[in-house]
Amino acid sequence: ITQRSLRLRAAVGLLPEALCTTVLLRLDGLSDREIGNRLGITENATAVRLFRARAHLRDLLQPQEFRVGEDR
C-alpha cells in the first residue's frame, strides 16, 4: 500500500456518507449501474455522486499552497 493510496482512503472517509459509499463501491469495481442497483438510485444519480465525490477529493488532497480562490 502506497502513501498515496492511504491518503486517498483517508480522504474518502471524510466525504459525506452517500458519496463515501458510492466511491467505495466504485473502488470495489462496480459499474455505475451496479452501484445504482445496490443503493436504489439511478445510474445517472450514481454518476453525479461520483462527480461530486471527485470534486471533494480533489479539494481535500490538493496541497494548501495550490488551492485557488481561497483566503489564507
Side-chain angles (χ1 to χ4, degrees):
I1 296 176
T2 66
Q3 181 71 17
R4 182 178 177 175
S5 63
L6 290 174
R7 286 184 65 225
L8 176 60
R9 288 284 178 168
V12 168
L14 297 174
L15 294 173
E17 184 177 353
L19 299 182
C20 178
T21 301
T22 305
V23 169
L24 291 175
L25 291 171
R26 167 64 90 215
L27 292 174
D28 284 342
L30 275 65
S31 69
D32 286 4
R33 177 174 288 157
E34 292 168 325
I35 294 169
N37 287 339
R38 178 133 347 147
L39 298 179
I41 60 176
T42 66
E43 191 173 343
N44 189 57
T46 299
V48 169
R49 284 186 184 184
L50 290 169
F51 177 84
R52 291 178 179 163
R54 286 183 196 106
H56 280 286
L57 290 170
R58 270 191 297 274
D59 188 50
L60 289 169
L61 295 171
Q62 186 176 20
Q64 182 68 33
E65 63 270 15
F66 295 114
R67 293 188 184 173
V68 178
E70 289 187 6
D71 292 331
R72 294 183 192 188

